[in-house]
Amino acid sequence: MSKRDLKILFFVITAPFAALGVFTVIITGYVVCTYDDSITIKPEVEILSPDGVHKAVVFTAAWGGGAGGKSHSVAVLNSSDSLDESVYRSDRTVIAVRCCDSIDVNWLNDSMLHVRYIKEDEYAVYRVTKKWNEISIDYDEIETTAATPTLHVP
């Protein structure tokens, strides 16, 4: 094989890989420049605590356009605070559930919030109690609206 034939063979083998590399760099640059990480927040209901110091805000958060996602969320705020994107990304959002049929929130007393939600395709009841600052939060994840779990209020 002559030197010229080797050069042609080398070009035929490496040129597609070089083109693929350039194409990858262009596509990656496009994705990075056009990626939208903004979140659309839509408040649904605000429930004041019995003492009026805090409020639980039930809202939907959507991101990523048509191919993105959506979650039903609950944030606990001071009664004078407002809901914005920074709340969703902070620990003030005490629950964010994707694939959720419905979410109900009510205050059991000044410092205990009860959150009840129904997830799609779940066949069990989960009960969890968590603390957020000075507020206890009871979560019930249930399979149907007919289920009424018994709550233990500490």
Side-chain angles (χ1 to χ4, degrees):
M1 216 181 245
S2 71
K3 217 177 196 184
R4 183 175 182 273
D5 292 339
L6 286 173
K7 285 182 182 179
I8 292 172
L9 182 63
F10 179 74
F11 178 75
V12 167
I13 291 172
T14 59
F17 292 110
L20 182 62
V22 169
F23 178 74
T24 302
V25 168
I26 290 170
I27 292 298
T28 303
Y30 174 77
V31 169
V32 167
C33 291
T34 60
Y35 178 72
D36 181 15
D37 67 343
S38 65
I39 297 173
T40 304
I41 304 291
K42 181 182 169 195
E44 294 174 6
V45 66
E46 291 184 2
I47 302 124
L48 278 174
S49 62
D51 63 1
V53 174
H54 293 94
K55 65 181 173 182
V57 182
V58 179
F59 64 97
T60 5
W63 58 90
K70 177 179 167 184
S71 72
H72 297 274
S73 306
V74 177
V76 176
L77 307 172
N78 292 326
S79 58
S80 61
D81 291 347
S82 61
L83 182 68
D84 59 21
E85 187 176 320
S86 68
V87 170
Y88 179 73
R89 297 176 188 254
S90 73
D91 68 338
R92 293 182 291 175
T93 295
V94 294
I95 187 170
V97 184
R98 294 184 73 178
C99 302
C100 176
D101 290 335
S102 71
I103 191 162
D104 296 315
V105 175
N106 66 321
W107 289 93
L108 300 177
N109 57 42
D110 293 343
S111 62
M112 181 163 276
L113 180 67
H114 179 238
V115 178
R116 182 176 187 247
Y117 59 96
I118 302 165
K119 280 186 87 169
E120 297 172 355
D121 303 326
E122 290 290 332
Y123 300 101
V125 176
Y126 303 99
R127 291 185 196 102
V128 179
T129 300
K130 294 183 180 177
K131 291 288 266 180
W132 178 85
N133 289 344
E134 69 277 1
I135 297 176
S136 294
I137 302 159
D138 262 349
Y139 300 99
D140 290 340
E141 179 181 308
I142 59 179
E143 66 176 79
T144 66
T145 55
T148 308
T150 305
L151 298 174
H152 170 68
V153 180

